[in-house]
Amino acid sequence: MSERTYSRDEMEAILRHAIGASSASTGSLDGVRHEELLAAAREVGVDPGAIEAAVGKLDEERALARRAADEDAIVERAVRERKSAAKHALLRYAIVVAFAAAVDWLTPGGPWAQWVVLSLALVGVLRVVRAWRAPSADDRSGFVRREQRRRAKEAAREARSRAADALSERLSREHEARVRAKAERQARDAKWRAHGEELGRVVEERVSQIVSDLTSRLETANQRGREPSGDFGAYVRRERGKASAEAPPSSARVRVEAPPDAPPSPRPARADAEDDAEERSARRRPDEERR
């Protein structure tokens, strides 16, 4: 089979046809990916660097085209706004001219409304000519700069609005965190206050019980004429010794003792049993308090 040669136009047509057929078969009609373009260029012997340069140039051309289209849209909108402003100005001029003519007709003296009419007519003609004539390069650049300033102001306003929203949200979160922390602190304080009150009540009850027990023991010992035993007895004896040392000397007392050969007075068995029970309870109490 003899080698066939193709011109550049034929090669581009064949590639376009092959790419279109491939896209139709795969169901992808949006275009060709960059990697597929590079692979096709390698297959036909085109340098990938040239493809990259052509892609960069195409991107620049697209950016220029988008910028030109944007400028055209800006100029078209500005011309449309200028024409609308000129129409409204002509309507206002007509109202002023009619009012001036009516005042001139109703008031005596020479006519003067024609000067108002001529002045407003001249201004209206200039505005109409300026609005309906094709914009020059200076006009286009002025329209574009004005639109850019407007967009910059709008972007700055949106940025300020977003910053204000973010600040408001941050302050709201901080306020909620402070309120939550305050509520937690109040709940914790209330809990500790309740624990403290409960502890104070328990301590007070325990102290009252101990004082009542000691008081009853002391009264029982005083009634029986003997000192209490145990730690409490030692404490009572120590306090009595301090009181006797601090007390002023009193008058002499006569102590009557029984004769040595006299038999001891018998004590009832019930009193001895109560004394033994009190001593045992006095011994157990310090151990229970230490636990």
Side-chain angles (χ1 to χ4, degrees):
M1 181 178 179
S2 61
E3 290 189 9
R4 300 179 61 182
T5 58
Y6 302 97
S7 64
R8 182 172 298 275
D9 295 336
E10 292 175 345
M11 182 184 68
E12 292 178 356
I14 292 172
L15 288 176
R16 282 196 299 271
H17 181 72
I19 291 172
S22 176
S23 300
S25 61
T26 57
S28 175
L29 301 176
D30 295 335
V32 180
R33 296 194 302 271
H34 186 71
E35 293 77 7
E36 295 176 352
L37 181 62
L38 293 177
R42 292 190 190 95
E43 291 179 0
V44 298
V46 179
D47 186 11
I51 296 295
E52 295 289 351
V55 169
K57 186 176 180 181
L58 179 61
D59 292 338
E60 292 178 359
E61 292 177 354
R62 287 178 177 177
L64 292 175
R66 285 194 298 269
R67 189 179 301 112
D70 189 20
E71 291 180 358
D72 292 339
I74 292 172
V75 171
E76 183 179 357
R77 184 169 57 253
V79 170
R80 187 167 58 250
E81 292 175 356
R82 179 180 287 183
K83 290 180 179 181
S84 178
K87 292 178 181 178
H88 288 87
L90 290 177
L91 179 61
R92 290 193 298 271
Y93 295 161
I95 294 172
V96 171
V97 166
F99 179 76
V103 171
D104 187 17
W105 182 66
L106 294 174
T107 57
W112 51 267
Q114 66 273 12
W115 305 111
V116 177
V117 172
L118 290 175
S119 301
L120 294 179
L122 179 61
V123 174
V125 169
L126 293 177
R127 292 204 62 167
V128 169
V129 171
R130 183 170 176 267
W132 264 265
R133 68 180 177 84
S136 61
D138 295 337
D139 294 336
R140 294 177 65 91
S141 61
F143 294 153
V144 172
R145 285 195 301 270
R146 187 178 64 183
E147 181 65 18
Q148 289 175 352
R149 287 194 299 269
R150 188 189 66 80
R151 291 179 180 179
K153 290 181 180 178
E154 184 177 357
R157 185 167 56 253
E158 291 179 357
R160 288 193 298 269
S161 177
R162 288 193 298 269
D165 294 340
L167 179 61
S168 176
E169 184 178 359
R170 183 171 62 84
L171 293 177
S172 178
R173 288 197 302 268
E174 291 178 357
H175 177 69
E176 292 177 358
R178 286 195 298 269
V179 171
R180 187 165 54 252
K182 184 178 179 180
E184 293 176 356
R185 185 171 60 254
Q186 291 177 351
R188 187 169 58 252
D189 293 343
K191 181 180 179 181
W192 283 110
R193 193 180 303 111
H195 289 339
E197 293 176 356
E198 181 67 18
L199 179 61
R201 185 181 62 79
V202 172
V203 170
E204 184 178 358
E205 291 178 356
R206 185 61 177 168
V207 170
S208 300
Q209 182 181 0
I210 293 172
V211 171
S212 177
D213 189 12
L214 294 177
T215 303
S216 63
R217 287 181 59 195
L218 183 59
E219 291 177 354
T220 304
N222 290 332
Q223 291 174 0
R224 293 176 181 176
R226 58 177 297 183
E227 295 182 353
S229 60
D231 295 337
F232 181 65
Y235 170 76
V236 171
R237 288 191 294 273
R238 185 169 61 253
E239 292 299 323
R240 285 180 179 175
K242 291 181 181 179
S244 62
E246 294 175 357
S250 60
S251 60
R253 296 180 180 179
V254 179
R255 182 178 181 184
V256 179
E257 296 181 356
D261 55 351
S265 59
R267 296 187 61 191
R270 182 178 179 182
D272 294 337
E274 290 179 355
D275 293 341
D276 295 339
E278 289 178 359
E279 290 179 0
R280 286 195 299 271
S281 63
R283 292 192 192 97
R284 286 197 302 272
R285 188 174 292 108
D287 296 337
E288 292 177 357
E289 291 177 357
R290 280 194 296 272
R291 293 195 199 98

